[in-house]
Amino acid sequence: MRMPRLTTVVLATALGIAGTLATGPAAGAAAPLGCQYKVVWPTVGVYENPNPNSVVVKTKYAGDIVGASTCEGASYNEYSYALVATEAAADGRGWIRVGALVAI
């Protein structure tokens, strides 16, 4: 009887370390894996590339939920960006300043 409990503990630890805890938009809905964020700035641009000189392809507002299926980040000088999925970007990958987001 020790083996199933040990397996559960090891699996839970591995999933926690991998950061696969996901949140969904509604209770009972299938939750996507990856990272989800809530926008906390009044407005924030979604950039085509992770740098302040890139084209802004979309604007998000305080309270909007954004995210992607992977938890990627990038930096440009003193700016940090989080990956978000968006159809507005040519490759479906947009970038938002990390300071404008809070993880959910």
Side-chain angles (χ1 to χ4, degrees):
M1 293 310 237
R2 282 294 251 182
M3 192 57 124
R5 182 179 174 140
L6 179 60
T7 302
T8 303
V9 170
V10 170
L11 181 59
T13 303
L15 290 175
I17 291 170
T20 58
L21 178 62
T23 60
L33 295 178
C35 290
Q36 301 293 308
Y37 307 97
K38 183 175 183 179
V39 175
V40 293
W41 287 0
T43 61
V44 64
V46 178
Y47 294 89
E48 180 77 34
N49 296 303
N51 74 67
N53 301 318
S54 180
V55 174
V56 174
V57 295
K58 195 172 200 176
T59 301
K60 289 295 188 175
Y61 303 94
D64 286 350
I65 304 299
V66 297
S69 61
T70 62
C71 300
E72 293 183 46
S75 294
Y76 182 89
N77 292 333
E78 72 271 15
Y79 303 107
S80 295
Y81 295 84
L83 175 68
V84 295
T86 180
E87 292 179 6
D91 60 359
R93 296 164 48 100
W95 299 88
I96 294 183
R97 292 268 309 272
V98 169
L101 306 171
V102 63
I104 56 173

